[in-house]
Amino acid sequence: MSSTFSIAGRPIGVGNGKREFCKKALVITATRSGGVTMAPREKSSVIFPGLSKQGIPHTDLHVRDIVERQSQQASLFGKEDACRRKPEFHPLFLEEAYERCRKICAEYAKTFYLGTLLMTKERQKAIWAIYVDGHNAVCMNPSVLDRWEERLQDIFDGRPYDMLDAALTNTVFNFPLDIKPFRDMIEGMRMDTKTCRYENFQELYLYCYYVAGTVGLMSVPIMGIAPESVVSTQSVYNAALYLGVGNQLTNILRDVGEDASRGRVYLPQDELAQFGLCDEDVFSRKVNDRWRDFMKEQITRARFYFKLAEEGASQLNKASRWPVWSSLLLYREILDAIEENDYDNLTKRAYVGRTRKFMMLPLAYSKAQSTTPSFSFPYRI
């Protein structure tokens, strides 16, 4: 079985402001064996060959090691472990700790938070605690991040520093979570303290993995994999990682103007140049045809990662599929909103209204009823 799609052609912007055109469409075919073939196909219209979707190999990120450790912990979960004794907290203390996590998540991640409201109570609390762990690390200097990493080890050892730490401590003792994705997330925050430009998509992909793909890896043990899953555990984890990457790419596209006001450009520099653009075009906040063409390709790539995530969403525990599908579809709506703004993400922030969000929930529920993958694309990234 194979899956094939073509990338629509568009003009290539070059440095002198002129445009050149490629006259063949790029067709990508993925096969069950894991291979990917690319072949040109004659088209009558002018076309653009599409931007690279090649990220960082997951072997380089040691994702398989994380999967194996978390899977091993899951098989032993609930058994007595003399070396790892679960700390005890007063129920009212824990209730307040998780409530604080909920409020932070609701204030700073509205679309993400809506998806969590469809989860079971225990899963809700765990996801809120994970979100707050990442939120606490944002906008910190290197020394504070070093201290945060030390605190992270204390959390996994059952020694929380404060109330928010206690919520995460309770979570890591309730679910088979490995510490590496949490450390990797902190590494992503370190990147933000010393990097404000990314030369190519591979560099940006690494950043997206650190700050968002890691959340996907943390979430799988909490969401659970369905006993009737028809794909491998590794495939489910890969899909969760891709969902995180897709979410982060969407965040970046939504927040281009806001990031520019802080002197940051998260768009690959070589791709800007490919369309005859540079940082000054971002800072000037002028939307022209070159910018629109550039944004169209960026949006295509973000949607590609959401498509990769779909297979995993259908393989989760039945109680988790609806919230995950909802989050996936709601985030993808942000890309639609950018298009509706005529690709102006320099002076406008794409917004998905509450009514529109609620209208997506029935579709998400429908997709959540089946474990049959709606899309199979074993593209190795």
Side-chain angles (χ1 to χ4, degrees), residues 167-241:
L168 185 57
T169 298
N170 189 63
T171 295
V172 301
F173 277 84
N174 283 340
F175 296 93
L177 294 166
D178 184 60
I179 196 171
K180 187 179 186 300
F182 292 86
R183 286 177 171 155
D184 284 350
M185 179 187 284
I186 293 174
E187 188 60 33
M189 305 305 171
R190 286 196 179 99
M191 290 177 71
D192 261 334
T193 67
K194 56 189 178 183
T195 303
C196 58
R197 300 290 188 281
Y198 295 88
E199 289 302 316
N200 51 52
F201 180 64
Q202 285 68 43
E203 289 187 6
L204 183 63
Y205 184 92
L206 181 61
Y207 171 74
C208 290
Y209 161 73
Y210 278 141
V211 301
T214 52
V215 177
L217 300 182
M218 299 170 196
S219 299
V220 173
I222 296 171
M223 297 295 101
I225 299 176
E228 66 273 21
S229 172
V230 297
V231 302
S232 69
T233 297
Q234 183 70 50
S235 294
V236 176
Y237 271 92
N238 285 342
L241 193 161

Side-chain angles (χ1 to χ4, degrees), residues 154-171:
D154 289 339
I155 286 169
F156 272 77
D157 290 340
R159 300 191 302 270
Y161 176 77
D162 58 19
M163 181 173 282
L164 295 179
D165 283 7
L168 185 57
T169 298
N170 189 63
T171 295

Side-chain angles (χ1 to χ4, degrees), residues 67-253:
V67 174
E68 290 178 354
R69 285 194 295 270
Q70 291 190 155
S71 298
Q72 184 178 29
Q73 289 179 45
S75 66
L76 300 174
F77 215 67
K79 299 179 181 179
E80 287 294 328
D81 186 349
C83 299
R84 195 169 185 262
R85 194 170 186 178
K86 183 177 180 179
E88 296 183 3
F89 302 104
H90 192 283
L92 292 179
F93 174 80
L94 267 184
E95 184 179 341
E96 183 179 352
Y98 280 117
E99 177 61 14
R100 289 191 183 183
C101 292
R102 184 195 70 78
K103 289 180 177 178
I104 293 172
C105 186
E107 181 177 356
Y108 294 99
K110 291 179 174 58
T111 300
F112 178 80
Y113 175 71
L114 180 59
T116 69
L117 296 181
L118 304 174
M119 298 176 184
T120 62
K121 292 296 183 183
E122 288 305 308
R123 290 186 173 104
Q124 276 183 350
K125 293 189 291 186
I127 295 298
W128 293 337
I130 285 175
Y131 172 82
V132 170
D133 177 65
H135 176 77
N136 281 344
V138 174
C139 300
M140 294 183 176
N141 61 49
S143 61
V144 174
L145 287 172
D146 289 343
R147 174 57 187 144
W148 183 253
E149 190 163 14
E150 293 173 7
R151 282 173 59 178
L152 179 61
Q153 185 61 60
D154 289 339
I155 286 169
F156 272 77
D157 290 340
R159 300 191 302 270
Y161 176 77
D162 58 19
M163 181 173 282
L164 295 179
D165 283 7
L168 185 57
T169 298
N170 189 63
T171 295
V172 301
F173 277 84
N174 283 340
F175 296 93
L177 294 166
D178 184 60
I179 196 171
K180 187 179 186 300
F182 292 86
R183 286 177 171 155
D184 284 350
M185 179 187 284
I186 293 174
E187 188 60 33
M189 305 305 171
R190 286 196 179 99
M191 290 177 71
D192 261 334
T193 67
K194 56 189 178 183
T195 303
C196 58
R197 300 290 188 281
Y198 295 88
E199 289 302 316
N200 51 52
F201 180 64
Q202 285 68 43
E203 289 187 6
L204 183 63
Y205 184 92
L206 181 61
Y207 171 74
C208 290
Y209 161 73
Y210 278 141
V211 301
T214 52
V215 177
L217 300 182
M218 299 170 196
S219 299
V220 173
I222 296 171
M223 297 295 101
I225 299 176
E228 66 273 21
S229 172
V230 297
V231 302
S232 69
T233 297
Q234 183 70 50
S235 294
V236 176
Y237 271 92
N238 285 342
L241 193 161
Y242 296 142
L243 179 56
V245 170
N247 286 349
Q248 188 60 29
L249 290 174
T250 300
N251 285 339
I252 288 169
L253 298 181

Side-chain angles (χ1 to χ4, degrees), residues 309-378:
E310 289 186 8
E311 181 177 22
S314 297
Q315 306 305 309
L316 296 174
N317 182 285
K318 188 174 182 179
S320 300
R321 289 177 216 153
W322 189 22
V324 173
W325 266 108
S326 297
S327 294
L328 190 159
L329 295 178
L330 290 172
Y331 246 88
R332 199 152 56 187
E333 281 289 294
I334 295 173
L335 300 174
D336 293 347
I338 295 173
E339 291 175 332
E340 290 162 8
N341 285 340
D342 196 24
Y343 304 97
D344 182 3
N345 49 1
L346 296 172
T347 65
K348 299 177 182 178
R349 193 174 195 267
Y351 175 74
V352 180
R354 193 173 185 83
T355 300
R356 185 170 171 179
K357 288 178 180 179
F358 280 113
M359 288 177 65
M360 294 299 298
L361 298 184
L363 175 59
Y365 182 80
S366 175
K367 288 182 174 291
Q369 300 313 300
S370 173
T371 56
T372 302
S374 61
F375 181 80
S376 182
F377 194 87

